[in-house]
Amino acid sequence: MVSDALISTKPTPIPTQEEDSPNPSSALLPFSTDSSSSPCQTQKRTTTVVFIALLVVTSIALSAASAFAFLFFSHSPYSSSSSQSSKSSASAAHVESIARPLTKLNHPVVLLISSDGFRFGYQFKTSTPNIGRLIANGTEAERGLIPVFPTLTFPNHYSIVTGLYPAYHGIINNHFVDPVTGQTFTMASHEPKWWLGEPLWETVVNHGLKAATYFWPGSEVKKGSWDCPKGLCMYYNGSVPFDERVDTVLSYFDLPIDEIPVFMTLYFEDPDHQGHKVGPDDLEITEAVANIDRLIGRLIQGLEQRGVFEDVSIIMVGDHGMVGTCDKKLIFLDDLAHWIEIPGSWVQSYTPLLAIHPPPGVAPSDVVTKMNEGLGSGKVENGKHLKAYLKEELPSRLHYFASDRIPPVIGLIEEGFKVEQKRTNRRECGGAHGYDNAVFSMRTIFIGHGPQFARGQKVPSFENIHIYNTITSILNIKGAPNNGSSSFPSTILLPNP
């Protein structure tokens, strides 16, 4: 159980989830016509000629069709890993019953890769042969990975590596205010007091093993037995080229075999970076996805050159999806003034998660009641697309109430809409995330490839809190208490021999 003093003024147990045509030439004929033949013989010979001609034409046509089919399928996006290997992989998924043995490494290694903002479906936007290879020869969440709420970068990345919902690991938003100290958390806050729970790199080190992190929210925080060791823990620098990040991770496999870290992270800001600027449907997204696929190819090639590709468990995920937003989908808090005035000083987050902390003397329940009266009146532009809640009355499936860090009033905004304080002349169209995690556009990807992932296996969608237990199971180490199901790994991994 995470210390309740760090999360809430009331004891809150960590709930776990236990079971959620050319014409023929006469030279080709086997005989010649005879002018002295009878009409009947001539007719028979003519019929034979026509039959043979048709036979030749048909043969040529079939040969051409076969050649075309070969050329087409041999150049399809997943040619090397799909048409042939996907058939063998699909059948392998049915026959594999135990994990494949390691061939070069003497211990399991997990490489966790995040492509920020990789919305489920992006993999179909362009040719992605390398991602396709991992899918064809591994395990995929068939309809995507479900992020935790709010579907924001820091809460989700930290949920992936702790197995905890944000209310329990403490990172309830990308930015928030501690109601006790009045201090503000930002994405540059590395003090341990903010980061609760036990992330995977700390779990690994607790077992006397080595971990390496090439960027991941929370990885720079020196907490418990993790001291962010030099050379194995990279301090975030968004200007580092993606190729350099891949090459550094590959260099860990050049260490003596007993010194190779058993757990590694690798992070790319794309395609989230492009998604916020242009939304999910722009050509920039397609180009970003193609580049991510190229990087995965670089990684695979490097692992193959070192002879360890089949030994390494690669888990590729995103943290959330993306949806298009535009000015016509705006809701303004100032439009509620007839029912209640909500000053900007009350608002900790506008969109896509509206978070309001009324001052002492203002009852949160009154704020919710008056806001919903205005929003439901039909007199507030787009008002019907926002609903205010007391945090304890939010749908329980969101798991977003058991922390004093979560403001008392939360507004759920419908997909694609945004909240602002007041009307301005600013005009923009782009993309956003952070919405209800039940919204399909918020889904991202899960791909697992390695000895314990069945080839060609498709599994139902699941929440990312289950990844922590999956990784500790692969590494055969005991994890810290978390919100995930202890039985989940058996539904996605092959058992060890």
Side-chain angles (χ1 to χ4, degrees), residues 174-205:
N174 288 340
H175 305 269
F176 58 90
V177 176
D178 187 297
V180 177
T181 66
Q183 295 177 323
T184 300
F185 172 87
T186 72
M187 290 186 283
S189 298
H190 298 141
E191 300 85 359
K193 65 182 180 182
W194 297 109
W195 305 82
L196 313 179
E198 184 180 290
L200 278 161
W201 44 82
E202 185 179 346
T203 301
V204 166
V205 172

Side-chain angles (χ1 to χ4, degrees), residues 28-45:
L28 295 175
L29 300 180
F31 54 87
S32 61
T33 57
D34 186 350
S35 58
S36 64
S37 299
S38 67
C40 185
Q41 290 175 320
T42 300
Q43 184 177 2
K44 287 181 180 180
R45 288 175 180 173

Side-chain angles (χ1 to χ4, degrees), residues 22-31 52-53 56 60:
N23 292 321
S25 166
S26 60
L28 295 175
L29 300 180
F31 54 87
I52 293 175
V56 170
I60 294 173

Side-chain angles (χ1 to χ4, degrees), residues 74 76-89 128-138 300:
S74 66
S76 65
Y78 299 157
S79 57
S80 62
S81 61
S82 204
S83 58
Q84 279 279 55
S85 77
S86 65
K87 289 181 181 178
S88 60
S89 299
T128 53
N130 300 299
I131 294 174
R133 179 177 177 183
L134 295 181
I135 293 173
N137 294 285
I300 292 173

Side-chain angles (χ1 to χ4, degrees), residues 27 73 128 239 242 260 301 311 314 318 321 354 400 423 443 484:
F73 287 110
T128 53
S239 66
F242 290 176
I260 297 173
Q301 183 181 35
D311 282 4
I314 297 174
L354 178 62
Y400 199 66
R423 298 176 184 274
R443 290 197 187 184

Side-chain angles (χ1 to χ4, degrees), residues 64-133:
S66 299
F68 175 79
F70 173 79
L71 290 171
F72 178 81
F73 287 110
S74 66
H75 289 82
S76 65
Y78 299 157
S79 57
S80 62
S81 61
S82 204
S83 58
Q84 279 279 55
S85 77
S86 65
K87 289 181 181 178
S88 60
S89 299
S91 59
H94 294 293
V95 300
E96 288 178 311
S97 58
I98 59 172
R100 302 179 290 280
L102 300 180
T103 58
K104 185 170 183 178
L105 298 178
N106 60 6
H107 55 74
V109 172
V110 174
L111 172 54
L112 177 63
I113 305 170
S114 170
S115 179
D116 200 319
F118 199 115
R119 173 175 165 170
F120 179 75
Y122 278 1
Q123 66 268 38
F124 307 122
K125 278 185 170 289
T126 186
S127 173
T128 53
N130 300 299
I131 294 174
R133 179 177 177 183

